[in-house]
Amino acid sequence: MKLSVVILNYNVKHFLQLCLQSVEAAIQPIEAEIIVIDNNSSDDSRLMVDKNFQNVKWIQNHENVGFSKANNQAVKEAKAEYICILNPDTVIAEDTFTTLLAFAESKENLGIIGCQLIDGTGKYLPESKRNIPTLQVATKKILGFSKTYYANHLEKDQIGEVSVFVGAFMLLKRSVYNKVSGFDEQYFMYGEDIDLSYRVEKAGYTNYYYGKTTAIHFKGESTLKDQTYAKRFYGAMQIFYKTHFKRNIFFNSLVFGATHILPLLSKPKEHMVSHKVESYQLVSNKIYPKLQKTLNTNLELSDVFNEKSEQVEYILDANWLSFAQIIGIIKNSKKNKKSSFKILPKKTNFILGSDSSQNRGEVIHF
């Protein structure tokens, strides 16, 4: 078997359904398996998967054991030569895996491959490629100067060596994952992707960023960026430096302050609320009367994407468009700040999307 796709789920049923649809389309030409491990969700995720994705292997945890431990559990069940660690709030194109696996086969001493990630508005996510957070880099990051934290030696559409990737999308050989003992289970959430990337590189492998392949990462679905996030993130950084670098009184004090003081200063973000929309454009070959009724509007129907200057919500129908087309539309739109996007997954009665990587997205049933 060539590829095992490992997805950790926690209470994101609707986004998981869209993700699995895109993954199923992407593994069609490949001998592959999909493994979903669930950290004790309460939103009927398992019923949805059982009903719609009979070929998916489901692993159920009865408590939330965190990101590292759950992914390690799932990889132990994986059978393929390569694994892809993938977030449930992502959408990939039909050619994502064939492209990246062909690239992987061309490289010796391959470590981790990451790709270009955008949010639900098409905005590039700079954490797609990062540098090793050395003492100097991390200090600047904590103080609000993030330029050296990200791998800016490559443009977002380029291909090249990069040290650190985000856990939302990591493709690597299962043998490499096992050689470095997978994710460090000291990390509950955050920091484990930096740690794994660093340990893979230290083991003598080369990590690559492949910017010519793009995936959507809604991001806000994984966690809200609130006080808990700040405390966990900086706490993870404390583990990272304690594990890999010499003790430094100044930096320890800085991280302590970031861990204990910044969360108190952070204002918790509210959940996403519906934004003002002047009109809707449904990119599809058919109208959905129940959707029109729910939105209380007449949907403008177009079988191609026609970007406008006013405040339009574009509903992209995955029954009509390929996932590659959907990603391309969102990525290549003119970034009109007034416009927004929702995706209608195949054979469903809901649309979803996110206008911010900081908050949870929106799911509208019809």
Side-chain angles (χ1 to χ4, degrees):
M1 187 178 290
K2 198 69 177 176
L3 178 66
S4 297
V5 184
V6 174
I7 302 170
L8 170 59
N9 180 64
Y10 182 65
N11 287 326
V12 286
K13 175 179 70 174
H14 299 96
F15 286 84
L16 174 64
Q17 187 166 357
L18 176 61
C19 175
L20 287 173
Q21 287 184 3
S22 72
V23 171
E24 280 199 334
I27 65 172
Q28 287 303 309
I30 306 166
E31 187 184 2
E33 64 178 352
I34 305 171
I35 301 171
V36 173
I37 182 160
D38 184 82
N39 266 346
N40 200 28
S41 294
S42 57
D43 66 351
D44 294 329
S45 292
R46 183 168 191 172
L47 291 176
M48 181 277 294
V49 170
D50 287 346
K51 179 180 178 181
N52 298 288
F53 305 97
Q54 287 79 19
N55 293 325
V56 168
K57 181 173 184 178
W58 183 274
I59 302 174
Q60 181 66 55
N61 283 329
H62 298 290
E63 61 178 316
N64 186 351
V65 300
F67 185 91
S68 296
K69 187 173 182 178
N71 275 295
N72 287 345
Q73 279 180 262
V75 173
K76 286 178 182 177
E77 301 294 321
K79 299 181 176 65
E81 178 184 0
Y82 289 88
I83 58 171
C84 180
I85 305 297
L86 188 68
N87 265 34
D89 57 345
T90 56
V91 181
I92 63 172
E94 287 80 358
D95 65 349
T96 293
F97 292 136
T98 53
T99 299
L100 294 183
L101 287 171
F103 177 77
E105 295 289 287
S106 72
K107 297 297 177 183
E108 295 182 1
N109 249 14
L110 177 72
I112 301 170
I113 300 175
C115 70
Q116 181 178 163
L117 299 173
I118 59 173
D119 69 11
T121 69
K123 182 181 178 182
Y124 175 71
L125 296 174
E127 62 267 29
S128 300
K129 49 182 177 69
R130 292 176 284 178
N131 294 315
I132 294 169
T134 61
L135 179 63
Q136 184 180 22
V137 169
T139 300
K140 289 181 179 179
K141 168 70 172 171
I142 291 173
L143 294 174
F145 303 99
S146 299
K147 186 175 180 180
T148 56
Y149 182 73
Y150 301 112
N152 295 314
H153 65 284
L154 289 178
E155 297 296 325
K156 61 184 179 181
D157 294 315
Q158 289 185 316
I159 299 169
E161 296 181 17
V162 165
S163 292
V164 177
F165 300 111
V166 66
F169 189 108
M170 290 177 145
L171 190 145
L172 69 163
K173 286 188 174 181
R174 184 162 57 97
S175 60
V176 173
Y177 187 95
N178 290 334
K179 184 172 181 179
V180 299
S181 302
F183 287 110
D184 186 338
E185 294 182 13
Q186 290 184 89
Y187 302 88
F188 182 84
M189 193 173 192
Y190 310 116
E192 65 288 304
D193 47 4
I194 298 173
D195 179 86
L196 180 66
S197 299
Y198 183 57
R199 285 187 291 111
V200 166
E201 199 170 70
K202 280 180 67 178
Y205 299 100
T206 304
N207 297 335
Y208 288 94
Y209 172 75
Y210 196 93
K212 295 187 182 301
T213 289
T214 302
I216 297 171
H217 181 204
F218 290 106
K219 190 178 177 182
E221 289 309 302
S222 304
T223 179
L224 297 178
K225 300 299 180 285
D226 56 11
Q227 292 168 315
T228 301
Y229 163 80
K231 191 168 185 178
R232 284 180 176 172
F233 177 80
Y234 290 113
M237 288 300 92
Q238 208 163 25
I239 295 171
F240 181 78
Y241 286 97
K242 184 179 179 181
T243 302
H244 296 291
F245 295 97
K246 292 180 180 179
R247 297 178 66 85
N248 181 289
I249 295 174
F250 169 74
F251 185 75
N252 286 347
S253 300
L254 192 63
V255 172
F256 180 86
T259 305
H260 294 84
I261 299 173
L262 289 183
L264 299 177
L265 301 178
S266 302
K267 293 182 179 180
K269 302 284 196 317
E270 299 297 327
H271 284 221
M272 176 75 65
V273 295
S274 296
H275 55 280
K276 183 181 178 182
V277 176
E278 293 177 357
S279 63
Y280 293 88
Q281 182 183 119
L282 174 62
V283 186
S284 177
N285 66 335
K286 61 179 290 188
I287 284 287
Y288 295 87
K290 289 184 179 179
L291 178 58
Q292 281 198 143
K293 184 176 180 181
T294 299
L295 297 176
N296 193 29
T297 187
N298 289 319
L299 290 171
E300 179 186 334
L301 180 66
S302 175
D303 60 2
V304 294
F305 174 64
N306 295 312
E307 190 166 22
K308 300 181 178 181
S309 59
E310 66 260 32
Q311 199 157 330
V312 179
E313 176 127 296
Y314 300 97
I315 301 171
L316 309 177
D317 185 1
N319 297 285
W320 172 247
L321 299 166
S322 69
F323 291 108
Q325 287 175 314
I326 289 171
I327 293 168
I329 287 170
I330 294 175
K331 177 184 177 182
N332 297 318
S333 65
K334 294 179 181 178
K335 308 299 185 297
N336 178 1
K337 293 181 180 180
K338 295 180 180 180
S339 63
S340 55
F341 298 94
K342 292 287 187 298
I343 299 173
L344 171 59
K346 298 176 183 178
K347 299 178 180 179
T348 62
N349 62 344
F350 63 87
I351 57 175
L352 57 77
S354 176
D355 299 333
S356 169
S357 60
Q358 301 300 310
N359 294 309
R360 288 202 186 280
E362 186 178 29
V363 178
I364 300 174
H365 291 266
F366 63 90

